[in-house]
Amino acid sequence: MFTAAEVGAGNRQAAGRGAPGRGAAEELQLCLSVISKMGGAVSAGEDNDELIDNLKEAQYIRSELVEQAFRAIDRADYYLEEFKENAYKDLAWKHGNIHLSAPCIYSEVMEALDLQPGLSFLNLGSGTGYLSSMVGLILGPFGVNHGVELHSDVTEYAKQKLDFFIRTSDSFDKFDFCEPSFVTGNCLEISPDCSQYDRVYCGAGVQKEHEEYMKSLLKVGGILVMPLEEKLTKITRTGPSAWETKKILAVSFAPLIQPCQSENGKSRLVHLPPLAVRSLQDLARIAIRGTIKKVIHQEAVNKNGNGLKNTPRFKRRRVRRRRMETIVFLDKEVFASRISNPSDDNSSGDLEEERQEEEVTTPPNTKPEPPVNFLREKVLSLPLPDPLKYYLLYYREK
């Protein structure tokens, strides 16, 4: 997976303190080059919704499905408690083996994958499960959602975060969710008898010699997104041996870790979860929940004339695509810099206009009403035995 910490030991002196023979202009240019590949492309948000607003205004999020998925899962839920204050900055985060790419990277990946309900998805380097969970909201209950993660502690972390989301998030009831399944192993050692997938994403830099291996995981008509030769690349399989390639943007990901031989000299094959058929009981639960959602929507249409309305959010400030509050990690040193866009020097008029706009559009000391989980309320009101009600709610906490 991409880590800011692994920009390269060779850059340590260049970007660190006291680099010999390097002028201020060169230092700044190097920092801009590194930062352009590491996030920091939009302003920080005060909460998850504002971060998504910023990504949307900067054209990183362009489709409604991707926007809904990003809003439904709070990025801060995937941070350790002591680091949550940085969750809404457009920056990568790493602590030990745990890692999250910058939001602008994830949004470009989600858009490039062109996700649709019912597809199969394979996440190579699945990490915390943040991306896989967002994908699962789009795939729906009849999709396939698999992840391979190198580090067992990160796999366990991802399972804990997934369990927390299922038990506590109202978004679980708003969407038909394709629950991710995570396995531990090296993604370069996937068993050759595994099924192919409609969509594949690799979260680590792919060397040229592994390009064909990655392509072999893809069905005809499928899409592969991966960092290849310092570019986030989209490859579409148009035929058994025909491909279309598109370079999306420059990125800097840590390279894939090469497999290690076991004691007997053989590689440790990674066996992906089987494509299981859902039980009749599970299919009935999906169908009942779907019917209840339709009833709720029809009741709202009859009452309001236009269906359920989202909780109104106040108008946000206009967002300029810029670098700010950027932190570059180089091994154990930290090089922090606040880099201004040249247009920022003459932006006092814009800032004053934004301030006046906020004063007009944002009512003081007013907060939106918390969202109502209509599905949960409807299920609990049904004349059914309690065990059946809680089964329909997946035994989730309120």
Side-chain angles (χ1 to χ4, degrees):
M1 287 177 289
F2 159 69
T3 67
E6 294 188 45
V7 175
N11 290 337
R12 188 186 306 117
Q13 282 190 328
R17 294 181 293 271
R22 187 178 296 276
E26 279 188 274
E27 292 264 353
L28 180 59
Q29 186 60 40
L30 175 63
C31 291
L32 286 170
S33 175
V34 172
I35 290 163
S36 68
K37 302 179 182 181
M38 296 176 57
V42 299
S43 302
E46 294 182 2
D47 55 26
N48 195 66
D49 269 331
E50 188 167 344
L51 172 63
I52 307 313
D53 288 343
N54 295 347
L55 290 168
K56 187 178 178 182
E57 291 194 50
Q59 292 296 302
Y60 284 101
I61 293 177
R62 300 177 290 278
S63 65
E64 185 177 351
L65 277 178
V66 171
E67 180 186 352
Q68 289 175 351
F70 267 85
R71 292 195 189 281
I73 297 183
D74 195 321
R75 180 175 168 89
D77 289 342
Y78 290 79
Y79 274 67
L80 294 171
E81 193 66 37
E82 59 267 35
F83 299 103
K84 285 191 175 184
E85 63 183 18
N86 296 317
Y88 306 123
K89 297 176 181 178
D90 188 33
L91 298 172
W93 170 67
K94 178 176 172 60
H95 181 78
N97 291 327
I98 301 170
H99 167 261
L100 281 166
S101 290
C104 67
I105 299 295
Y106 282 135
S107 54
E108 287 286 6
V109 169
M110 291 277 285
E111 293 288 356
L113 285 170
D114 189 21
L115 297 161
Q116 304 294 332
L119 296 181
S120 56
F121 172 66
L122 177 61
N123 189 355
L124 304 175
S126 49
T128 65
Y130 173 62
L131 177 65
S132 292
S133 293
M134 288 194 293
V135 169
L137 297 175
I138 298 176
L139 297 182
F142 303 112
V144 175
N145 194 353
H146 293 162
V148 180
E149 168 55 41
L150 181 64
H151 303 287
S152 58
D153 60 325
V154 180
T155 303
E156 185 59 33
Y157 184 87
K159 290 178 179 179
Q160 292 172 5
K161 294 301 180 182
L162 174 62
D163 179 66
F164 179 80
F165 169 74
I166 291 175
R167 286 188 296 104
T168 65
S169 175
D170 280 345
S171 293
F172 182 83
D173 285 335
K174 294 177 182 177
F175 293 80
D176 294 319
F177 187 52
C178 181
E179 184 175 335
S181 297
F182 304 113
V183 297
T184 302
N186 191 306
C187 67
L188 294 175
E189 297 180 302
I190 293 175
S191 176
D193 60 358
C194 79
S195 300
Q196 292 178 315
Y197 291 79
D198 297 301
R199 301 291 186 268
V200 178
Y201 170 64
C202 181
V206 177
Q207 295 89 342
K208 193 66 177 176
E209 66 259 29
H210 297 308
E211 181 179 356
E212 293 302 317
Y213 169 85
M214 293 293 174
K215 289 179 177 179
S216 71
L217 301 172
L218 202 60
K219 292 180 181 179
V220 173
I223 295 173
L224 164 65
V225 178
M226 61 181 177
L228 182 66
E229 297 180 319
E230 299 295 303
K231 296 286 192 301
L232 189 64
T233 305
K234 175 181 178 178
I235 299 176
T236 304
R237 188 169 191 173
T238 57
S241 56
W243 312 85
E244 289 181 357
T245 301
K246 177 183 178 182
K247 303 294 185 182
I248 302 173
L249 78 163
V251 292
S252 181
F253 280 55
L256 284 169
I257 294 177
Q258 301 301 306
C260 298
Q261 297 294 321
S262 59
E263 293 179 359
N264 59 10
K266 296 181 179 180
S267 61
R268 304 176 179 85
L269 290 181
V270 176
H271 296 279
L272 296 171
L275 303 181
V277 177
R278 287 184 178 273
S279 68
L280 182 60
Q281 188 177 16
D282 197 18
L283 291 172
R285 173 165 57 182
I286 292 170
I288 292 170
R289 285 168 63 93
T291 300
I292 294 173
K293 288 179 181 179
K294 290 178 181 178
V295 170
I296 293 170
H297 179 74
Q298 189 58 49
E299 289 177 349
V301 169
N302 295 339
K303 182 178 180 180
N304 303 323
N306 57 355
L308 294 174
K309 297 181 179 179
N310 293 326
T311 303
R313 300 199 327 277
F314 300 124
K315 188 174 181 180
R316 307 285 188 183
R317 291 187 302 174
R318 290 192 304 272
V319 177
R320 289 184 295 275
R321 203 173 178 116
R322 60 190 177 189
R323 320 290 183 204
M324 64 181 298
E325 295 186 322
T326 301
I327 302 173
V328 181
F329 297 90
L330 298 171
D331 290 345
K332 296 182 180 179
E333 298 181 12
V334 177
F335 176 80
S337 177
R338 185 180 183 91
I339 298 177
S340 300
N341 190 302
S343 63
D344 291 344
D345 296 336
N346 300 314
S347 62
S348 58
D350 289 339
L351 292 174
E352 177 63 23
E353 182 181 340
E354 287 177 3
R355 185 187 64 78
Q356 293 174 357
E357 184 180 78
E358 284 184 332
E359 289 175 354
V360 172
T361 59
T362 305
N365 301 322
T366 305
K367 293 183 179 179
E369 292 293 326
V372 177
N373 189 329
F374 293 100
L375 177 66
R376 184 180 185 88
E377 289 191 351
K378 178 65 76 173
V379 169
L380 292 176
S381 69
L382 294 174
L384 297 172
D386 284 347
L388 181 53
K389 292 181 183 179
Y390 292 120
Y391 176 75
L392 290 173
L393 294 171
Y394 287 85
Y395 305 102
R396 298 177 62 247
E397 301 171 7
K398 186 174 180 180

